[in-house]
Amino acid sequence: LLDRLPKPDLTTEDWYRQTVEQLAAMNREAEGLVSRGKFDPAAEIITKGQPLEDRLLAVPRPTLAAMEAASDLDDLYGRMLLRNQHYGWARSMFQKNAVRWRVWKPQSPETAQRLQVAVKAIGECDRHLPE
């Protein structure tokens, strides 16, 4: 009987919204550090953000805001890996984003732009892989 009850929508819970906001703030902070050339502190923030990303994406249908925050974290991580010449690992981060935005419904100009950014970054990694 319990199997037939609808499962609660975890995306409506306070913890979910707060976690999205926290991850987005961490992304902004890390992005600012990267832009100032402070890569080690940015890497620490990225590492701390990964469990938050995992928690947000573990729900059955994550929100667009959660997907954007996860995408931003993965993009930043991918760019850090690319900078450090870890092309294969960087490519896998960008590939996650490409898949994420290729399957997202409904599509919008913003999600299409995010897909283009990911595909372009994959191409950049592919150019360096033979090195």
Side-chain angles (χ1 to χ4, degrees):
L1 184 63
L2 290 177
D3 292 340
R4 294 188 202 141
L5 292 176
K7 293 186 177 159
D9 180 359
L10 298 176
T11 65
T12 63
E13 304 278 334
D14 285 342
W15 70 263
Y16 194 85
R17 180 188 47 76
Q18 292 165 355
T19 304
V20 170
E21 291 170 2
Q22 183 181 4
L23 184 57
M26 291 171 78
N27 288 335
R28 288 188 299 274
E29 183 181 357
E31 187 70 51
L33 289 166
V34 166
S35 70
R36 294 190 308 274
K38 298 183 178 192
F39 299 106
D40 288 341
E44 289 177 28
I45 293 171
I46 291 167
T47 300
K48 289 178 184 173
Q50 289 173 328
L52 300 179
E53 175 184 10
D54 293 343
R55 189 168 185 215
L56 291 171
L57 299 183
V59 303
R61 281 182 286 290
T63 64
L64 178 58
M67 293 296 271
E68 289 171 339
S71 176
D72 291 345
L73 185 73
D74 289 345
D75 180 71
L76 187 54
Y77 188 23
R79 288 186 285 130
M80 295 274 289
L81 289 165
L82 187 62
R83 179 188 172 277
N84 292 329
Q85 301 178 343
H86 297 289
Y87 304 120
W89 289 107
R91 189 183 196 287
S92 79
M93 288 291 111
F94 299 133
Q95 185 66 37
K96 279 177 31 176
N97 273 343
V99 170
R100 178 177 286 137
W101 297 117
R102 195 170 284 127
V103 301
W104 181 261
K105 301 286 187 248
Q107 289 289 314
S108 70
E110 169 76 16
T111 60
Q113 173 65 26
R114 286 176 173 270
L115 174 58
Q116 277 186 324
V117 167
V119 169
K120 183 177 177 186
I122 291 167
E124 180 68 19
C125 292
D126 288 348
R127 280 189 286 286
H128 291 287
L129 279 174
E131 296 175 4

